[in-house]
Amino acid sequence: QVQLVESGGGLVQAGGSLRLSCAASGRTFSGYAVAWFRQAPGKEHEFVATISGSGGRTYYANSVKGRFTISRDNAKNTVYLQMDSLKPDDTAVYYCAAGAYGSSPREYGYWGQGTQVTVSS
């Protein structure tokens, strides 16, 4: 079992930065890939980024490539999403999820409760 808790969301102006954290419980955390998804009102979950269990592989959605950076510290059971050059279109609830490495929500069996990110223009 893995429990995930996101933090770090908030209100920021366009062009600003935020860093999201995903804290996990469970001794086997390093065995799971962890991804960030986001969901804007009235839209489906959108893949943002994922990182392998060891941290050696990462993959980003085209919409965030070059602006967002995913990383993890397995000693702290935490995954981070550094978000720079934020745009109003990045406004959404951001979720972290643990599971197999991939970009589909179906590959992740454990989900956090989400944290709101709002980017004002």
Side-chain angles (χ1 to χ4, degrees):
Q1 280 280 35
V2 177
Q3 293 184 325
L4 305 171
V5 178
E6 302 96 336
S7 62
L11 174 64
V12 63
Q13 288 188 331
S17 298
L18 282 175
R19 188 176 82 156
L20 305 183
S21 297
C22 174
S25 63
R27 292 178 294 175
T28 59
F29 177 66
S30 61
Y32 294 93
V34 175
W36 288 94
F37 291 85
R38 64 189 182 186
Q39 188 172 27
K43 295 188 176 181
E44 299 287 325
H45 276 95
E46 177 191 10
F47 168 76
V48 175
T50 188
I51 187 166
S52 62
S54 66
R57 288 186 298 164
T58 58
Y59 179 67
Y60 297 89
N62 287 336
S63 58
V64 306
K65 198 174 295 183
R67 300 188 298 122
F68 291 10
T69 303
I70 191 170
S71 62
R72 68 190 295 161
D73 184 341
N74 285 339
K76 296 182 178 179
N77 277 10
T78 303
V79 170
Y80 305 98
L81 185 69
Q82 177 67 42
M83 305 187 295
D84 299 318
S85 302
L86 282 161
K87 305 174 182 179
D89 283 350
D90 295 317
T91 295
V93 177
Y94 283 70
Y95 299 89
C96 66
Y101 186 80
S103 60
S104 169
R106 294 188 297 273
E107 295 174 284
Y108 296 89
Y110 301 101
W111 291 77
Q113 83 290 347
T115 186
Q116 177 70 47
V117 171
T118 303
V119 184
S120 63
S121 58

